[in-house]
Amino acid sequence: MSEQLTDKELLAKLAQGDTTAVDTIFRQHYASLCLTANRVLRNTTKAEDLVQDVFFELWRKRKQLHIHSSLAAYLKRATMNKALNYIRDEKIKSSGEEPLQMMRSKETGVQRQLEASELKKKIDQAIDELPERCRLIFCLSRFEEMSYQEIANELDLSIKTVENQITKALRLLRQKLGVYLSSILLFIIEWLFFLN
């Protein structure tokens, strides 16, 4: 397959099940996506695994894809989302229990567990909907426990920019989650997720 095919042509061939299209896309983007994932994860093997997952999902969803940006931008965003979700999920696993389970007491019933589960989904969704740079900085701070200085060094930003992005993330999350939470629950969520 010619390397000169446009994104639109490649995606059309991909949608038709043409495996040479995914091979071409893989050759064009794999290395840069691995660098993107590794910059977030700082783990080459895991970065490569996540990028392979991105290509697997690209193939699996080939008939439903509606990419409005460039193919490179779509793949980079998908890779970044996978990396950030991985960081979040690993942080939850390493805590020994899901953070919202800490809200449950022995006398809470099924209803409370369902509410906690629904609330966790809302929190995850709100984090996923943050602007890309804001989400990256927030996740590095809250889930990787990197200091503002470490984040600034890693991403070649000023500390002030990092502080502003964290403030923005917290404001957006409060706005998105406010309709679901009483003031007491909001305090608990901030304690669990937002405080250093």
Side-chain angles (χ1 to χ4, degrees):
M1 180 174 291
S2 167
E3 297 290 328
Q4 302 303 312
L5 290 177
T6 66
D7 287 355
K8 187 174 181 179
E9 291 167 333
L10 280 171
L11 289 169
K13 289 182 176 295
L14 186 70
Q16 296 167 2
D18 186 339
T19 57
T20 58
V22 78
D23 290 340
T24 300
I25 295 167
F26 184 88
R27 283 195 313 276
Q28 289 176 352
H29 300 284
Y30 179 76
S32 66
L33 294 177
C34 285
L35 289 173
T36 296
N38 194 44
R39 189 170 185 192
V40 175
L41 299 174
R42 291 173 291 172
N43 179 324
T44 305
T45 303
K46 180 44 71 178
E48 290 171 356
D49 288 347
L50 289 182
V51 171
Q52 289 173 17
D53 288 347
V54 168
F55 281 101
F56 173 74
E57 287 186 13
L58 180 73
W59 176 255
R60 189 172 59 84
K61 297 177 180 176
R62 65 190 180 277
K63 293 181 181 177
Q64 294 86 31
L65 283 177
H66 299 289
I67 298 176
H68 303 292
S69 59
S70 71
L71 181 56
Y74 171 84
L75 291 171
K76 183 177 180 182
R77 183 160 187 82
T79 299
M80 188 68 77
N81 285 338
K82 272 207 172 291
L84 294 174
N85 289 343
Y86 175 79
I87 288 171
R88 181 193 64 210
D89 294 346
E90 286 300 301
K91 185 68 176 177
I92 289 170
K93 282 183 202 171
S94 69
S95 72
E97 61 179 0
E98 291 188 21
L100 291 178
Q101 288 175 335
M102 293 162 47
M103 291 169 47
R104 300 178 189 140
S105 64
K106 291 181 181 178
E107 61 273 2
T108 57
V110 174
Q111 181 62 32
R112 179 56 66 113
Q113 291 179 16
L114 290 173
E115 289 170 4
S117 176
E118 181 64 23
L119 187 54
K120 181 185 180 305
K121 287 179 189 172
K122 296 293 184 190
I123 292 168
D124 290 347
Q125 181 181 355
I127 291 171
D128 289 346
E129 291 173 358
L130 290 172
E132 186 172 333
R133 182 163 74 159
C134 188
R135 181 176 185 229
L136 172 59
I137 291 171
F138 176 80
C139 288
L140 290 176
S141 171
R142 301 321 188 199
F143 300 130
E144 284 293 287
E145 298 178 3
M146 292 173 68
S147 70
Y148 289 178
Q149 183 64 61
E150 289 171 331
I151 296 169
N153 293 343
E154 179 73 22
L155 301 179
D156 196 24
L157 300 170
S158 70
I159 292 180
K160 189 66 177 169
T161 300
V162 173
E163 290 171 353
N164 289 341
Q165 290 296 312
I166 293 291
T167 300
K168 179 180 178 180
L170 293 174
R171 179 174 43 78
L172 292 172
L173 290 170
R174 284 186 188 105
Q175 288 171 358
K176 288 178 184 292
L177 296 172
V179 296
Y180 301 104
L181 306 172
S182 69
S183 58
I184 293 172
L185 282 179
L186 185 55
F187 171 79
I188 292 169
I189 296 307
E190 287 187 345
W191 180 73
L192 291 174
F193 283 90
F194 303 151
L195 299 179
N196 281 324

